[in-house]
Amino acid sequence: MPTSIFVGTKAKRLLQRAVWNDTSFLASIDVMDYSLLVGVDEEKHELVLGIIDFMRQYTWDKHLETWVKTSGILGGSKTASPTVISPKQYKTRFRKAMSTYFLVR
């Protein structure tokens, strides 16, 4: 579980806007499976961050994988959340996570 990072009100608002814009764009082109990388610029005493990772498109094979995993056809629990979710669901989950990891001090 990532550690919470405390930021000022303005920084939180700017971060939320950037995450909102970036995830809206990624979902619009059917991309999911991304992460946020956070670093520190020691000279400027600022956080530096960006969305990174595999950034996989949600193609027909991912639709099929989601359906198979949620149906329980090949075993597993029908009640468990699928590990592969649509870009829209991924965007929502990512935004929620970012709002809990970055807290206003």
Side-chain angles (χ1 to χ4, degrees), residues 68-72 74-82:
V68 168
K69 287 183 175 183
T70 56
S71 69
L74 298 176
S77 170
K78 286 185 182 182
T79 59
S81 296

Side-chain angles (χ1 to χ4, degrees), residues 21-41:
N21 290 339
D22 290 352
T23 56
S24 290
F25 170 72
L26 292 170
S28 77
I29 59 171
D30 285 335
V31 171
M32 35 78 82
D33 200 16
Y34 40 84
S35 302
L36 187 75
L37 177 67
V38 179
V40 177
D41 181 333

Side-chain angles (χ1 to χ4, degrees), residues 19-35 51-63 83-95:
V19 167
W20 185 274
N21 290 339
D22 290 352
T23 56
S24 290
F25 170 72
L26 292 170
S28 77
I29 59 171
D30 285 335
V31 171
M32 35 78 82
D33 200 16
Y34 40 84
S35 302
I51 292 179
I52 63 157
D53 224 328
F54 189 66
M55 294 194 189
R56 171 124 165 96
Q57 266 201 309
Y58 194 69
T59 53
W60 68 269
D61 60 324
K62 289 297 175 188
H63 282 280
T83 54
V84 178
I85 58 177
S86 74
K88 184 177 178 181
Q89 292 169 312
Y90 196 89
K91 170 186 74 173
T92 301
R93 185 175 74 184
F94 188 85
R95 288 174 177 174

